[in-house]
């Protein structure tokens, strides 16, 4: 996965939807990508939840839209970049591995409460997961979490009124962690 800059986001163009599919409205996608670039520069305020929940119309009659899967994959990648920015650290150039998520980073992570009217993940379950992840990153032992463990994890929704975390933020963090663990599983320590 390569670093995505605001200029990359602005310049990104997507392939056409496969024949028979309408796809996403190209102008809406391009406009949303411009807002993402502005957010990366600190001049707009899109959050990870805004990106994960965005909906695009079908293209105007007679026009082909952007490939839905291609756009969705790109937006997932952008969520990871925004998570790095939110943590206050830039991504590294390709090939460098000295700035990765650490035990201390995990202990400091804070997720937002879900928006009013929405249910989030049970804070207690997410907290227990963070403890296990912190131990994995601190010890790199045989009993640690793997990328597959991260991809397979599920959290229960908190009952109304109980402590909860915004699902989209937690999901974006899980994407980031799974990516890092995949790299460390391939690269010897």
């Amino acid at each position: 996965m390569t670093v995505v800059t605001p200029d990359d986001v602005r310049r990104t163009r997507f392939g056409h939807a496969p024949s028979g599919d309408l796809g996403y409205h190209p102008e809406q996608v391009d406009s949303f990508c411009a807002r993402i670039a502005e957010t990366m520069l600190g001049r707009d305020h899109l959050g990870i939840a805004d990106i994960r929940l965005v909906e695009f119309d079908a293209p105007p009659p007679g026009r082909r839209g952007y490939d839905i899967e291609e756009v969705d994959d790109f937006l997932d990648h952008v969520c990871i970049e925004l998570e790095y920015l939110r943590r206050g650290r830039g991504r590294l150039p390709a090939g460098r591995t000295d700035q990765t998520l650490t035990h201390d980073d995990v202990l400091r992570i804070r997720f937002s409460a879900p928006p009013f009217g929405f249910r989030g993940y049970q804070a207690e379950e997410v907290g227990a997961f963070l403890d296990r992840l912190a131990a994995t990153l601190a010890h790199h032992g045989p009993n640690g979490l793997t990328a597959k463990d991260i991809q397979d994890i599920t959290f229960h929704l908190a009952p109304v009124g109980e402590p909860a975390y915004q699902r989209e933020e937690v999901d974006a963090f899980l994407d980031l962690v799974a990516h890092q663990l995949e790299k460390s599983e391939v690269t010897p320590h």
Side-chain angles (χ1 to χ4, degrees):
M1 182 183 309
T2 58
V3 176
V4 176
T5 68
D7 286 337
D8 294 333
V9 173
R10 276 197 185 90
R11 288 192 302 261
T12 298
R13 293 298 174 261
F14 304 96
H16 290 294
S19 184
D21 290 341
L22 292 176
Y24 287 145
H25 194 295
E27 288 80 14
Q28 289 179 0
V29 173
D30 292 343
S31 175
F32 192 70
C33 284
R35 284 196 65 200
I36 292 170
E38 290 297 300
T39 296
M40 294 173 87
L41 293 168
R43 298 190 291 234
D44 202 333
H45 60 280
L46 288 175
I48 291 169
D50 298 315
I51 295 170
R52 288 197 179 265
L53 298 175
V54 69
E55 293 182 7
F56 301 108
D57 295 331
R63 292 193 51 207
R64 286 179 65 194
Y66 285 150
D67 183 290
I68 291 172
E69 189 172 319
E70 197 176 317
V71 172
D72 289 347
D73 287 347
F74 178 76
L75 294 178
D76 285 344
H77 188 135
V78 166
C79 284
I80 293 170
E81 294 297 325
L82 287 176
E83 181 64 19
Y84 273 101
L85 290 171
R86 187 178 74 79
R87 288 186 4 223
R89 294 198 312 204
R91 291 289 299 274
L92 294 173
R96 286 191 53 207
T97 58
D98 57 337
Q99 186 180 10
T100 56
L101 187 67
T102 67
H103 167 267
D104 292 330
D105 293 331
V106 173
L107 295 177
R108 285 192 302 268
I109 193 86
R110 297 291 177 262
F111 299 110
S112 304
F116 181 76
F118 290 87
R119 293 175 61 197
Y121 292 138
Q122 288 183 356
E124 188 174 321
E125 286 184 5
V126 175
F129 160 76
L130 291 175
D131 290 343
R132 187 166 174 215
L133 175 61
T136 295
L137 295 175
H139 302 293
H140 299 288
N143 295 325
L145 293 166
T146 65
K148 174 123 177 62
D149 294 331
I150 303 299
Q151 293 162 350
D152 292 344
I153 197 161
T154 57
F155 298 114
H156 293 94
L157 294 178
V160 175
E162 289 196 13
Y165 293 129
Q166 187 168 339
R167 291 182 289 183
E168 290 77 14
E169 285 184 14
V170 174
D171 290 342
F173 179 73
L174 292 177
D175 290 345
L176 184 146
V177 170
H179 176 70
Q180 177 175 320
L181 290 178
E182 278 176 357
K183 283 176 45 180
S184 70
E185 290 165 8
V186 173
T187 308
H189 298 293

